[in-house]
Structures are given as C-alpha cells and as structure tokens.
Amino acid sequence: MQLQFENCGSASGVSQGTINGVSAFESCLMPQTTCPQLACNMQTEHSYADLPSTLFELCTPTPVGAPSWLAFNHPLAAELGFDPALAETDAGLQLLSGNQVAAWSNPLAQAYSGHQFGHLSPRLGDGRALLLAEIIDQQQQRRDIQLKGAGPTPYSRRGDGRSALGPVIREYLVSEAMFALGVPTSRALAAVITGETVYRDQPKPGGILTRVAASHIRIGTFQFASMLKDGGTAQHDSSLKSLADYVIKRHYPECVHAEQPYLALLNSVIQAQAALVAQWMSLGFIHGVMNTDNMSISGETIDYGPCAFIDQFDPDTVFSSIDQHGRYAYRNQPMIAQWNLARLAEALLPLLADAETDAVALATTALNQFPELYYQAWQDRMSAKLGLSSSAAAKTLAEQLLQLLAANKVDFTIFFRTLAFALSDVSAVKGPATLFTDQQGWLVWAAQWQQQLSGEPAAIQHSMNAVNPFFIPRNHQIELIISQVTEQGDLTLFQQFARDLSSPFTENADNQRWAAAAPPSDLPYRTFCGT
C-alpha cells in the first residue's frame, strides 16, 4: 500500500535543484512506502487536515541515505503510546528518518506568515518540517508529532528542507531540559543522524529531529489566514474563523461559552505568553529569535534556534549572530512578546467586532493587560527564587538584585542556587558572597532580603532549591557535546547529559560537571540559526 498525495503541487518557493538526483518538487510528490508493521498503542488523528486547504500542503518526507540513531526518548514514547521497541528496530529508524511513512501518518506542511526581526514575510510555512499526525496521548491530550529536517516542502523557498546535526542536538537537549525545568515546551521524541551532508557556511552532517508539541500553530498562522486572497477576493473570513474555532476547541475550550469567544481567545493567548516569558526571564533563558512565526498559540516554547542561557548576568545579552541590533535581547523579551501579540490581535480584528473601530478598541484593551499579567507572573517567579512568601515584596528586591548582578558580572544560575546558603550567614563560604567584587553592595542587599524572610531556614532552603536549578544546559557544554558528536562521532557526552538533564534541581555526584560556569575564554558566546 502506498500513500499518494495529488495536491502537494504548489511549487511556489520550492527549490528547482536536485537532491539525490530528484528535484525538490518531485521528491515532495513522490509516494512513500508505508510501514504498517510498526507496533504502537497510540491513537492518531488528523484534525488539522480538516481545516481549509489554504492552511497547509500535503507532502511526503524525502528519504535519506544512511540513517542511524542518535537518541530515542523512552519516557516520552511511553506517554504517547509508542512501542519502546521502535528504538531498537530498523522499522522505527526508517519511520523517524522519513524513509517510510507509517499507515497512521498523513504528512503535511503548515502554512504561516511571520514578522522576522520586525519585517513581514507573507508566505513562510514549514520549509523543513512535516506534521506526521496528531497523537492522543495516555492522558487523552492531543499532541503533534513532527519531523524537522525531513526534506523540501512547497514552503522551502529554494532551501533543501534539511537540518544540520548540530541544531538537532541543541534542540533535543535544550527542549528536554526546559521540560525538566517546568517550562511549557515542545519536546524531543527522537533524533536521527541522516548519513548525508548538508551545506550551510560549510559542509555539515545532517540530522532529523522528531518533535512533539501541543500544536505547531503560531501567531504567524493567524497572520497568514488573515491575509488570504483568491482571485482578488478576500478569503480570510472563512479560513480565519475556521482556524480560530479550531484553536479554541483544541487549546482553549473554556472560550467556547464566553460571550465573545474570539476576544476570550485573544485574552487566553496573552495570559499564556505572559506566563511563559516570565518563566524564561526567571531562568535567564534567551529564545534568540522571537519572530511571530516562532511564537506558539498554545503558550509553549518552540523553535530552539539561536537560543541560550545567560552566564554572567547582563540584561542586554544577545546570543544570536543575526540579531545585530539587539531586538531579542534578554531585557527586550517581554516587550517583544507584547509586540507579537499585537500582530495576533490585528489578525483577529475581523472576528472581534463588525465595526473596525470597535474591534480595535477591544484588542487594545486586551493588549494593555499584558504588562500587568507579565509583571505579576515575574514577581511570583522571583518571589519563589528568593524564598519569599510575598510576591509584592519581591519586586523591589529583585530589581535591585539584578542591577547588582549585572554590575558585578555574577553568574545568574550559580547565584540563585547558592543564595540559600546565605539564609543565616551572608558571608557563608559556599554562599553567593564570594561571587561579588562589591562586597558592601552585596551585604546591604542581603540584609534587606533577610528582613523579608519568614519561616524555618530549612523549609525556605528546600523551597528555593526546588525552583533554582543546580544546573542548566550551559552554552559551552552544549557546544562541546555538538563537537564531539559531529566531529568525532562520539555520543558519550551527549548520552550522559541527556540522562542527567531530567533532574536539574537535584545535586549529585553525576551532575557536578554540568554546574560549572563557563570559562572566560568561552565568553562572549554566540549562537547561529540552524537553517
């Protein structure tokens, strides 16, 4: 039995070059053999394919030459109902490398627009990713399963649709670490080494990531739907309403019974994004490329391209090599989130009210809630990190502290993890006192902090250690892991970190190495987009 997709054919933006002797457009059209023998207990559906066809293109993966396993996430597989034997069989490898299409799969590439560094690109879409299916997991939650790096699609815009292995390693490890840190995020089910070379600034080994997410619907998806036209006649009303109804049903079902469901949807996404970015900020995480096509409607972190964690604290930190003007710097992330949400509100205007002036007023009121929602979520996070029972008391203390950390170039993660040692002695040898050159500044702040504490020191320390990680995916360590895998073929360090990252708040003998600060020679750090 073979899957054949006749309407994959809009060739706009698809590379006319060849891959393994086959044109990119032809490879998208090529039928793939199904793999019915794959054993699994999962329930799959394809509800996204019921939306207007303007929002996606059916397309099959492009086979790779010599795939091999890099990683398989057994706990996540169990949640999804996958047979664990997939990690140990050639059948599983062929499926997750895109060489075969399972009988339960109906691959498609999603369409979306996006403001990239503030400039609108009307037609983007999944240029190197394919949604295989939606899985109803063991908790009856609907989750997308997607191949990233599976070859060209109608949205590839002259690209090869592939991913270098380095970005696959980064996303696998960082997304799983974010999950362990309690941050809403897409997750990594598997990673495959393709056995083929991709060409970027230089030849690099290729990889494919199997990504799982609540969905891959983005702010840019709504932007795309709002701009659709056919023969000069606007078609956005149908596509936009269908998309909004779908998102409400899938992600925010409480909005169905609201007096104004689409306004309730906007408010729900604003709340989710405010909470998400507050978590990023509390961990020193920098997404790196907060374009509207990289911001999920569900409130999950997706698209781990030039992401990284702050080492020495500086609110102006930028890691991405392409962010030359600091648009997505650490300090700017809340502001950019609100800017992106304004683009979502613009897309939703036709659904908010019949009169545009009324719709704009409703959207403006909704957007104006963001600062308060964000700062409340941020205060709650900082209060927990500081061991305080009142988030109101945390605001001034946290702001003063961040200024002190920046002035003294203190490591963000190490400071908060060691802060609990100063509960009774601000000069404790293991405490943060040793991190400051301005000892007087530290002592003044620490005295103010201690005055706000209430409760037993042991209980406070326990609560602080539950939210302040002992280690994070250190940038220099991720680079070392990538280097060992891609240049030496050595998976040892990758496997060790993948094992340890599931418990980032627990200090033990095995994870001491991951807690070390970056050596001065590795600063400043730069990341590069994986496309």
Side-chain angles (χ1 to χ4, degrees):
M1 177 181 177
Q2 294 179 328
L3 294 179
Q4 299 188 28
F5 301 129
E6 297 179 352
N7 68 333
C8 189
S10 174
S12 174
V14 178
S15 170
Q16 298 304 307
T18 62
I19 299 176
N20 294 336
V22 179
S23 74
F25 178 54
E26 290 172 336
S27 70
C28 187
L29 289 172
M30 286 176 63
Q32 298 279 70
T33 57
T34 60
C35 196
Q37 72 273 25
L38 289 178
C40 63
N41 301 314
M42 62 186 183
Q43 176 186 348
T44 59
E45 296 181 359
H46 305 280
S47 64
Y48 196 87
D50 293 331
L51 289 170
S53 60
T54 50
L55 297 176
F56 62 89
E57 295 271 7
L58 297 173
C59 189
T60 53
T62 303
V64 297
S68 59
W69 288 111
L70 173 64
F72 187 87
N73 190 334
H74 287 273
L76 179 56
E79 289 181 26
L80 299 174
F82 267 89
D83 189 328
L86 274 175
E88 302 163 359
T89 64
D90 183 66
L93 180 61
Q94 296 305 316
L95 166 65
L96 299 183
S97 65
N99 282 5
Q100 291 182 318
V101 177
W104 46 261
S105 179
N106 188 25
L108 61 84
Q110 295 178 326
Y112 46 83
S113 303
H115 274 87
Q116 299 183 305
F117 290 88
H119 302 285
L120 178 64
S121 296
R123 179 184 166 91
L124 291 173
D126 289 329
R128 55 177 177 150
L130 289 172
L131 175 63
L132 298 182
E134 299 148 21
I135 297 175
I136 312 302
D137 68 16
Q138 301 299 296
Q139 302 300 317
Q140 298 304 299
Q141 300 296 312
R142 184 181 300 270
R143 302 164 83 176
D144 282 359
I145 179 169
Q146 182 194 72
L147 293 185
K148 187 173 181 180
T153 78
Y155 307 111
S156 292
R157 305 183 303 283
R158 304 176 66 85
D160 60 11
R162 294 302 189 190
S163 176
L165 183 57
V168 167
I169 294 170
R170 178 183 301 278
E171 180 156 357
Y172 188 103
L173 294 177
V174 178
S175 65
E176 284 302 296
M178 290 284 273
F179 171 75
L181 290 166
V183 181
T185 179
S186 63
R187 297 193 61 190
L189 175 62
V192 169
I193 302 169
T194 65
E196 297 183 346
T197 301
V198 298
Y199 296 90
R200 300 295 183 259
D201 56 323
Q202 56 184 321
K204 297 181 178 180
I208 296 175
L209 179 76
T210 303
R211 184 162 69 178
V212 174
S215 82
H216 288 86
I217 302 170
R218 308 146 189 273
I219 290 176
T221 314
F222 279 85
Q223 292 180 285
F224 183 86
S226 72
M227 293 187 290
L228 286 172
K229 292 183 179 294
D230 184 12
T233 303
Q235 297 294 311
H236 65 258
D237 289 349
S238 174
S239 296
L240 181 63
K241 185 177 186 302
S242 296
L243 178 63
D245 289 342
Y246 178 81
V247 168
I248 287 174
K249 182 178 180 181
R250 181 165 179 174
H251 293 303
Y252 302 103
E254 66 278 6
C255 296
V256 171
H257 303 295
E259 183 178 349
Q260 294 175 289
Y262 305 116
L263 179 60
L265 169 62
L266 176 60
N267 283 323
S268 295
V269 178
I270 290 171
Q271 292 170 9
Q273 289 292 331
L276 177 67
V277 176
Q279 286 189 272
W280 291 357
M281 300 294 281
S282 73
L283 291 167
F285 175 77
I286 299 178
H287 184 279
V289 60
M290 290 176 65
N291 297 330
T292 57
D293 54 294
N294 292 333
M295 302 302 290
S296 169
I297 289 295
S298 70
E300 287 186 332
T301 313
I302 60 170
D303 292 333
Y304 292 87
C307 66
F309 286 80
I310 282 182
D311 290 302
Q312 294 178 353
F313 183 74
D314 179 353
D316 292 319
T317 299
V318 175
F319 289 120
S320 173
S321 63
I322 58 177
D323 191 3
Q324 298 181 3
H325 301 290
R327 177 180 175 86
Y328 300 139
Y330 172 82
R331 73 158 74 239
N332 291 341
Q333 290 184 130
M335 177 185 68
I336 290 297
Q338 186 176 21
W339 191 93
N340 288 340
L341 289 163
R343 309 289 78 77
L344 173 64
E346 289 171 352
L348 288 172
L349 287 178
L351 302 179
L352 297 182
D354 292 333
E356 183 174 326
T357 53
D358 293 339
V360 170
L362 290 170
T364 301
T365 299
L367 289 166
N368 286 342
Q369 300 175 82
F370 179 87
E372 182 178 353
L373 291 169
Y374 165 75
Y375 280 112
Q376 185 59 58
W378 179 79
Q379 284 178 211
D380 290 345
R381 294 280 168 188
M382 297 307 292
S383 176
K385 290 176 75 67
L386 294 173
L388 303 177
S389 57
S390 169
S391 64
K395 183 177 184 297
T396 301
L397 273 175
E399 290 173 346
Q400 293 173 345
L401 172 63
L402 294 180
Q403 293 176 6
L404 195 61
L405 295 182
N408 287 264
K409 298 182 179 180
V410 175
D411 186 283
F412 187 84
T413 301
I414 291 176
F415 169 81
F416 279 104
R417 183 65 183 196
T418 59
L419 180 59
F421 287 111
L423 284 168
S424 57
D425 181 3
V426 296
S427 300
V429 174
K430 290 186 177 181
T434 57
L435 304 175
F436 291 87
T437 54
D438 178 9
Q439 285 289 299
Q440 185 60 32
W442 155 249
L443 291 172
V444 170
W445 181 89
Q448 295 173 341
W449 167 67
Q450 285 185 326
Q451 290 175 2
Q452 297 293 333
L453 295 172
S454 61
E456 292 295 324
I460 298 174
Q461 184 176 38
H462 178 78
S463 67
M464 291 173 66
N465 287 343
V467 295
N468 291 316
F470 177 62
F471 71 96
I472 55 170
R474 291 279 179 179
N475 309 320
H476 66 291
Q477 292 163 344
I478 295 293
E479 290 299 331
L480 178 60
I481 291 170
I482 290 173
S483 174
Q484 287 198 357
V485 175
T486 60
E487 297 176 15
Q488 304 172 31
D490 185 353
L491 306 185
T492 304
L493 206 57
F494 172 90
Q495 292 170 343
Q496 289 174 349
F497 187 66
R499 177 199 65 208
D500 293 340
L501 60 77
S502 62
S503 302
F505 299 100
T506 303
E507 179 179 357
N508 57 51
D510 293 331
N511 60 24
Q512 292 289 331
R513 59 159 49 177
W514 311 122
S521 59
D522 283 9
L523 301 174
Y525 179 70
R526 283 289 176 267
T527 57
F528 299 88
C529 187
T531 54

